[in-house]
C-alpha cells in the first residue's frame, strides 16, 4: 500500500511540475491545448497533392503507408524547415501518395485561416487558403 501512495504522489508531483513549467513531453503535459482561449479565427496549414492533370486533393495521410502517417505533425513544422528539408518532405509525400494509388505529380502547402461564425445554427466555418509552398 505504501508503494502505491508513493507512486501516486510522485506521479501527481511530476504532473504538477509539468503543468507549472509548461512542459509538453508526453505523457506529461502543460494542458495548453485545453487551457488556452481560442478566438473565432484559427490559422493552420493544409497539404494537397497535385495530379498530373493539375487537380488538387488533400494528402490522404490516413491511406499512406504507416511511416508517412505523422504528416499532419510535420505539416505544423513545415514553414520552419530548410528548403532542402521541405523538398525531401514533399518528395516523401508524393512517393507515399503514389504508393497509396493516388495520381500525384507534386504537393502544394497552403496557409489556412478558418473563421467560425456562431451566429447561426449550426455554426458555419469559412476557410480561406493562401499558397505557401509548391513542390
Amino acid at each position: 500500500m505504501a508503494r502505491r501512495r508513493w507512486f501516486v504522489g510522485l506521479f501527481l508531483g511530476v504532473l504538477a511540475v509539468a503543468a507549472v513549467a509548461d512542459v509538453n513531453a508526453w505523457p506529461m503535459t502543460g494542458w495548453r491545448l485545453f487551457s488556452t482561449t481560442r478566438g473565432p479565427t484559427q490559422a493552420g496549414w493544409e497539404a494537397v497533392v497535385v495530379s498530373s492533370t493539375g487537380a488538387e486533393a488533400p494528402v490522404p495521410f490516413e491511406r499512406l503507408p504507416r511511416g508517412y502517417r505523422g504528416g499532419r505533425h510535420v505539416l505544423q513544422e513545415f514553414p520552419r524547415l530548410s528548403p532542402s528539408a521541405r523538398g525531401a518532405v514533399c518528395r516523401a509525400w508524393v512517393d507515399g501518395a503514389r504508393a497509396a494509388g493516388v495520381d500525384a505529380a507534386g504537393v502544394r502547402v497552403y496557409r489556412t485561416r478558418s473563421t467560425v461564425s456562431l451566429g447561426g445554427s449550426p455554426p458555419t466555418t469559412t476557410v480561406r487558403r493562401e499558397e505557401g509552398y509548391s513542390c
Side-chain angles (χ1 to χ4, degrees), residues 12 21 29 66 108 111:
L12 292 176
T29 178
R66 189 173 292 276
R108 289 189 187 125
R111 176 84 169 144

Side-chain angles (χ1 to χ4, degrees), residues 37-118:
T37 304
R38 293 187 181 101
T41 302
Q42 297 294 312
W45 294 93
E46 177 186 19
V48 297
V49 290
V50 182
S51 71
S52 56
T53 63
E56 292 183 351
V59 174
F61 289 113
E62 67 283 347
R63 288 180 35 209
L64 297 182
R66 189 173 292 276
Y68 296 91
R69 293 194 186 159
R72 294 191 203 306
H73 300 292
V74 173
L75 191 56
Q76 297 305 316
E77 298 297 320
F78 196 81
R80 292 190 263 301
L81 297 175
S82 68
S84 62
R86 282 195 297 263
V89 168
C90 286
R91 284 188 298 280
W93 285 344
V94 167
D95 293 344
R98 287 178 181 159
V102 175
D103 175 20
V107 171
R108 289 189 187 125
V109 177
Y110 291 100
R111 176 84 169 144
T112 61
R113 299 230 181 256
S114 303
T115 305
V116 177
S117 172
L118 301 176

